[in-house]
Amino acid sequence: MATALEWIFATFYAGGVLLFLQYFIPFVIRVFGRRTQNETVKLFEKKWKRDTVYLYQMPGTTTMPSVSPFCIKVEAFLRLHKINYERRYFIVGRGLNGKLPFIEFKPFRFQQSRALFNLCPLLH
């Protein structure tokens, strides 16, 4: 039977392993999952609606549309400029830079919210 001290060491060991994996796995995905400039991007949306932006973001709660302030910023921008959009909730999927939110508009994908803000005249 294990003593209390052995349980404490086992708990610290397991916690250290989980902490290491929490930072190591995203790092490996970022480093080895990069795409080249010429590689085509697989778009998530299969059936396009005309003049609709597809916003991929983290799911929210009953009181807010997303738990990420960056996702809320992009959604607020789309609402303010009266741009037709549809939400797509993603937890595992990410954009090319490994982050959320990102949008798809026609056959293009935009990762940075600044790029979206610069494209505002094209979206109207």
Side-chain angles (χ1 to χ4, degrees):
M1 187 165 199
T3 66
L5 190 57
E6 290 174 346
W7 279 106
I8 291 171
F9 284 132
T11 304
F12 280 123
Y13 178 77
V17 169
L18 291 176
L19 187 65
F20 172 76
L21 290 177
Q22 176 185 0
Y23 293 103
F24 180 73
I25 291 174
F27 171 77
V28 170
I29 291 171
R30 270 195 310 266
V31 170
F32 296 109
R34 289 189 180 156
R35 294 184 171 95
T36 61
Q37 291 287 351
N38 297 330
E39 188 176 346
T40 58
V41 177
K42 179 185 171 195
L43 299 176
F44 291 107
E45 187 61 39
K46 302 295 183 211
K47 296 180 181 178
W48 292 91
K49 292 182 183 175
R50 184 172 181 205
D51 295 331
T52 301
V53 172
Y54 296 95
L55 172 63
Y56 293 87
Q57 63 182 3
M58 293 179 211
T61 64
T62 56
T63 57
M64 57 193 226
S66 178
V67 294
S68 168
F70 303 108
C71 297
I72 292 172
K73 174 178 77 169
V74 172
E75 187 169 354
F77 177 83
L78 293 171
R79 281 189 202 163
L80 267 162
H81 291 278
K82 297 182 174 110
I83 298 170
N84 295 332
Y85 73 97
E86 289 186 13
R87 291 185 200 122
R88 299 289 188 258
Y89 294 118
F90 260 37
I91 295 175
V92 179
R94 301 283 191 242
L96 289 177
N97 59 356
K99 299 178 182 177
L100 285 175
F102 65 92
I103 64 166
E104 289 181 350
F105 179 64
K106 296 183 180 174
F108 304 108
R109 182 184 296 172
F110 303 99
Q111 275 71 294
Q112 299 294 329
S113 56
R114 180 61 56 196
L116 168 65
F117 301 156
N118 293 336
L119 288 172
C120 185
L122 299 175
L123 298 175
H124 284 287

